[in-house]
Amino acid sequence: MKTVVQAPGKINLTLEVLGRRPDGYHDLRSVLLPVSLFETVEVEERADDAVTCRTVGEGVDVAALADLPLERHLAVKAVRAMQRLCGTTRGCDIRIVKRVPIGAGMAGGSADAAGAMAALHRLWGFAGRWEALVEAGASVGSDVPALLHGGAVLMEGRGERVSAVLRPDDKPPPPFWLVAVFPGYSVSTRQVFESWTPRLTAGADVCDNAISSVRNGDVRAACLTAYNGLQDTVNRLHPETERFCLALREGGALSALLSGSGSAVFGLAESRAHALRIQRSLPKNVWSKVVSTLPDGVMAAHGFLMPRVMVQIHVGQPS
Ligand code: ATP
């Protein structure tokens, strides 16, 4: 049997770095929005215990993965985590079509892991606790719990605590349209965090305002509160990044911001047509995509619908 999952990448509408922790990680608070840029993750069962993984790029360069040892591929780490959870040594063949640029702060690797977990959840009939699944995801990659939820989330801690932004009675709000731009170089998340210096954070209402803007589908309110606490550090390490934000603003974006630890930046737009106009204003040789944010439950098509009540509680131990 095989199953195919379309696993989305993400952008961060806000990203606050609250401080460095004794374990070397940083405490984060982020309103994270999955976007309509999907990795196709196909997982096929095997009779033996071998695990294989083949990755091809569609519009993105995957050369950086060529020398990656199999066990360091995030999709394979996800398989190992699922094997532990399900108490099995069964293997599988994974085929990934990557559309999210590598090292862009758009969580392509975490999307591959979340996709593999969702596929194996179905193939192996995982019957354990959702909390265990989310904790296993967190051990694979910081953005995996958020992407397993498959909708807008508030992400805290290292990423292991996720809460749904939409409340059970909220009507699905209109999506945000945006232009994502990959400047052509990867940024090392580790280097960015090592270079980050504590500074005043964004202010207590940044996160609350961002959550309200998503609930209301109010892109202008979202622009007023969009914030990335890593932007200065990334601009210092890669001054060109700021030029791409400027190009988006000059092209008419309501606001332009770094996603995660970069290198991708995104410009928020009024509508799809507006986003396409912004995209047309960019240099033709630069990777860019017009995408929208996604409603809750995007993983539901794969039989993977995390109970709403689950994502409203915090998972894992507060740090
Ligand atoms: P993060 O912020 O989690 O580092 P990112 O969005 O900036 O992620 P990714 O493309 O998810 O960037 O991951 C980049 C790093 O992870 C690369 O160093 C790459 O070698 C490693 N990696 C392992 N598996 C994958 C994968 N399936 N896709 C992309 N990168 C992977």
Side-chain angles (χ1 to χ4, degrees), residues 10 39 53 55 64-65 68 72-77 96 98 100-113 141-143 186-190 193 259-263:
K10 58 81 180 173
E39 305 272 78
C53 184
T55 311
L65 298 182
L68 193 70
R72 288 191 45 207
H73 197 296
L74 290 171
V76 176
K77 287 191 178 182
I96 296 173
K98 277 196 86 67
V100 180
I102 295 175
M106 294 184 72
S110 288
D112 297 346
S142 302
D143 294 321
S186 299
V187 164
S188 152
T189 304
R190 175 186 288 250
F193 277 105
S259 181
S261 57
S263 60

Side-chain angles (χ1 to χ4, degrees), residues 31-46:
V31 174
L32 180 150
L33 309 176
V35 294
S36 58
L37 181 62
F38 297 94
E39 305 272 78
T40 301
V41 183
E42 182 182 303
V43 182
E44 185 162 11
E45 285 182 297
R46 286 180 66 110

Side-chain angles (χ1 to χ4, degrees), residues 43 46 48-53 69-94 112-118 120-121 124 126 132-133 135-137 139-140:
V43 182
R46 286 180 66 110
D48 59 16
D49 62 3
V51 175
T52 70
C53 184
L70 182 72
E71 295 298 329
R72 288 191 45 207
H73 197 296
L74 290 171
V76 176
K77 287 191 178 182
V79 174
R80 299 302 180 206
M82 287 301 283
Q83 286 176 328
R84 282 193 294 276
L85 270 187
C86 298
T88 181
T89 56
R90 275 188 282 178
C92 59
D93 295 318
I94 307 170
D112 297 346
M117 290 184 76
L120 290 172
H121 174 268
W124 291 346
F126 175 71
L133 204 66
E135 278 167 23
S139 73
V140 175

Side-chain angles (χ1 to χ4, degrees), residues 136-252:
S139 73
V140 175
S142 302
D143 294 321
V144 177
L147 295 177
L148 284 174
H149 167 243
V153 292
L154 171 66
M155 186 183 106
E156 295 172 278
R158 275 179 61 190
E160 77 281 14
R161 288 183 276 145
V162 289
S163 327
V165 163
L166 297 185
R167 295 157 299 198
D169 295 334
D170 284 338
K171 283 214 205 78
F176 294 158
W177 285 94
L178 53 110
V179 186
V181 174
F182 177 61
Y185 49 85
S186 299
V187 164
S188 152
T189 304
R190 175 186 288 250
Q191 191 195 9
V192 171
F193 277 105
E194 280 173 2
S195 310
W196 174 84
T197 43
R199 56 193 349 262
L200 287 177
T201 49
D205 47 359
V206 156
C207 178
D208 291 347
N209 291 345
I211 288 172
S212 303
S213 74
V214 174
R215 285 178 179 161
N216 297 328
D218 183 344
V219 71
R220 289 199 173 260
C223 290
L224 292 177
T225 194
Y227 172 83
N228 189 322
L230 296 173
Q231 183 121 29
D232 290 350
T233 308
V234 173
N235 287 349
R236 212 169 49 241
L237 294 170
H238 302 274
E240 317 88 283
T241 316
E242 186 53 26
R243 283 220 321 270
F244 289 93
C245 283
L246 198 63
L248 282 165
R249 286 190 205 106
E250 283 173 356

